[in-house]
Amino acid sequence: MDNRNEVREFLMSRRARVTPQQAGLAVTGNRRVAGLRRNEVAALAAVSVEYYAKIERGNLSGVSDAVLDALAVALQLDDAEREHLFDLSRIANGAIRAVRKRKSQNWVARESLTRALAVITEGPAFVRNGRMDILATNALGRAFYDHVFDGPGQGNLARFCFLDERAKDFYPGWEAAANVTVSILRTEAGRDPEDKRLHDLVGELSTRSAAFRIRWGSHNVRRHGSGTKSFHHHEVGELTLTYEGLELTAEPGLSLLIYTAEPGSASEERLRLLASWAATLQQQNDAGPIVPHVDSPGGTQP
């Protein structure tokens, strides 16, 4: 992905989002756009209009961290957006993250990792990369995400969200889930713009899904560490689950996510029913912890 284009479109989209009133500026005369003008961003960041115009044209080469911080404040960037801006700057200045050194074509989960997944029995647990490939799961996670594996998703959560109609049943708040999905991929693109598999995935989804294409053009990014989500599983019905995302320090670029239900809730009981269903499937398949075959993780943790 072209770094200059990414920088230009990201900064323009953030500038358009902030109104003069939000920035504490007086509004005078007629304005053609609701967002800030370039000269207003420059003034808020204490840089010249010419210098900011150069930056917004996509040239972050040599821009100091102090200027980036000032722009983040002027454009009211949240933590994920600020991190994304710094990622774009690192790439513009020739820095490539160490995770890019991983060369293996096929990733295999360590035995200790599969054992760790196996001992998690009360909630879905899985390992994924920044492209949203599910690389390994416990038995309950495999049952929870069974439609992700057996359809157009091919083990990838973004593909499932935009190319499998069943996703709109699985995610009762599909619009929000779609927004989060694209934001995670956009964050990953800023961290590792040379990831060919990510390029291919974005190209495929842009070609096949107008909903994805529109969201991709918004340049929204986000962190995805913890929260609460609602699901509708085809076997057990409605589930409200909290999740925690943990970075795997031994596997750069990968994260472990665990879903749990509130004790005593209907969702906890439904997870038990799902676990029972998963155990039946596992006995039928005579399998241990399920490790789907997915290409090398690459990328970085969103």
Side-chain angles (χ1 to χ4, degrees):
M1 298 177 186
D2 183 83
N3 182 261
R4 282 179 173 265
N5 286 339
E6 291 294 308
V7 172
R8 181 177 65 253
E9 293 175 13
F10 177 66
L11 290 176
M12 289 177 64
S13 68
R14 300 310 91 173
R15 177 164 62 85
R17 187 187 60 181
V18 181
T19 66
Q21 293 87 343
Q22 290 171 327
L25 300 176
V27 179
T28 58
N30 294 324
R31 299 178 67 95
R32 291 181 298 173
V33 295
L36 296 177
R37 295 166 175 159
R38 283 183 176 179
N39 66 306
E40 292 169 334
V41 176
L44 290 167
V47 298
S48 70
V49 177
E50 293 76 12
Y51 190 51
Y52 177 69
K54 169 191 165 186
I55 292 172
E56 196 179 274
R57 286 195 295 269
N59 186 357
L60 284 177
S61 179
V63 177
S64 69
D65 287 357
V67 170
L68 293 176
D69 275 325
L71 289 176
V73 172
L75 295 170
Q76 302 183 15
L77 304 186
D78 63 22
D79 288 344
E81 292 167 332
R82 180 185 179 279
E83 184 178 332
H84 184 63
L85 178 61
F86 273 78
D87 282 335
L88 293 174
S89 177
R90 279 191 285 269
I91 298 302
N93 285 281
I96 301 295
R97 293 171 71 93
V99 71
R100 296 263 318 138
K101 295 180 180 179
R102 186 190 295 271
K103 296 296 184 182
S104 61
Q105 292 302 306
N106 295 296
W107 181 81
V108 178
R110 301 184 315 281
E111 182 181 352
S112 59
L113 179 56
T114 61
R115 287 201 306 268
L117 286 169
V119 300
I120 301 172
T121 58
E122 295 187 4
F126 61 100
V127 175
R128 70 162 174 81
N129 59 20
R131 291 191 304 271
M132 305 193 75
D133 296 318
I134 299 178
L135 302 171
T137 76
N138 64 354
L140 188 50
R142 179 61 176 82
F144 183 69
Y145 280 130
D146 61 335
H147 282 177
V148 178
F149 293 106
D150 69 7
Q154 303 173 45
N156 180 275
L157 290 164
R159 229 184 245 111
F160 171 69
C161 184
F162 289 98
L163 302 184
D164 194 326
E165 285 299 318
R166 296 174 297 180
K168 293 183 178 178
D169 293 325
F170 184 69
Y171 299 115
W174 182 86
E175 294 285 343
N179 292 339
V180 168
T181 297
V182 177
S183 296
I184 291 173
L185 292 183
R186 177 59 81 176
T187 302
E188 181 67 9
R191 289 172 170 170
D192 191 359
E194 297 182 14
D195 184 347
K196 183 180 183 303
R197 291 187 178 91
L198 179 58
H199 277 251
D200 292 344
L201 176 63
V202 170
E204 175 189 1
L205 295 177
S206 296
T207 300
R208 300 179 62 185
S209 170
F212 176 87
R213 190 164 57 249
I214 292 169
R215 287 170 170 81
W216 184 253
S218 297
H219 287 264
N220 292 327
V221 295
R222 67 168 286 152
R223 290 177 176 175
H224 196 61
S226 63
T228 302
K229 290 185 178 181
S230 295
F231 304 92
H232 184 277
H233 193 275
H234 61 94
E235 287 293 329
V236 298
E238 299 295 330
L239 293 164
T240 299
L241 306 176
T242 57
Y243 66 92
E244 292 291 334
L246 310 171
E247 293 187 21
L248 297 179
T249 56
E251 297 283 357
L254 303 187
S255 58
L256 168 65
L257 285 94
I258 304 172
Y259 286 100
T260 58
E262 182 181 350
S265 66
S267 293
E268 183 183 47
E269 178 59 30
R270 288 167 184 163
L271 272 186
R272 291 196 186 102
L273 292 174
L274 185 61
S276 176
W277 182 67
T280 301
L281 291 180
Q282 193 167 345
Q283 289 172 359
Q284 292 173 348
N285 295 328
D286 192 27
I290 298 168
V291 182
H293 174 76
V294 180
D295 286 339
S296 94
T300 55
Q301 150 74 9

